Amino acid sequence: MYGCETWTLTLKEENKLLVAERRILGKILGPVKREDGSFRLRKNVEIEDLVAAPNIIGETKAHRLRWFGHVLRMEEDRGVKRAYLGRQVGRRPVGRPRYRWGDAVGVDLSALHADNWREMAQDRDDWRILVSEAKTHFGSLRH
């Protein structure tokens, strides 16, 4: 998950990460033994209930929001803040615009119904609560 704060995952990439995570957890937890002595693989819901922790998508989105709060609290002359606030100059290429990091953060914040996120980011305790809510909101199969 190194550098996951900067990822902009598409739905296809999210599904690939979830499949890989479930495959690894399934191997770690092992199969379920039936009453007749045979074995079966665990279902995704069973794996989620046994692990009882946010999945990789919840962790990734929480890391991204934590970094976003840090960027918002930065001084205006910092390079990261200038890159976030900067606008592209020149002509835009033909076609659909690329999915940007700021767009991904905006989608995450709207899914959490965080309307006053600019004020929340200035208060570290409030922002920490929002990040933990993101971990649980995005970190389950049933959201």
Side-chain angles (χ1 to χ4, degrees), residues 43-60:
K43 296 183 179 344
N44 292 340
V45 176
E46 292 173 327
I47 291 173
E48 185 183 69
D49 290 340
L50 282 174
V51 172
N55 62 30
I56 193 166
I57 302 304
E59 291 286 338
T60 301

Side-chain angles (χ1 to χ4, degrees), residues 61-124:
K61 290 185 178 192
H63 280 255
R64 182 168 50 207
L65 285 176
R66 189 177 64 201
W67 175 249
F68 181 60
H70 184 64
V71 169
L72 289 176
R73 288 187 299 271
M74 282 182 185
E75 298 293 325
E76 298 295 325
D77 60 339
R78 300 273 305 267
V80 175
K81 180 88 173 223
R82 287 195 325 252
Y84 170 68
L85 294 175
R87 298 289 168 224
Q88 186 177 4
V89 294
R91 293 180 49 92
R92 190 179 68 77
V94 176
R96 182 178 182 178
R98 295 193 62 183
Y99 191 56
R100 299 172 299 184
W101 183 81
D103 300 332
V105 170
V107 168
D108 294 345
L109 288 170
S110 65
L112 292 171
H113 305 292
D115 298 329
N116 57 346
W117 53 269
R118 290 185 197 277
E119 294 85 29
M120 289 178 74
Q122 298 308 316
D123 183 9
R124 290 175 188 249

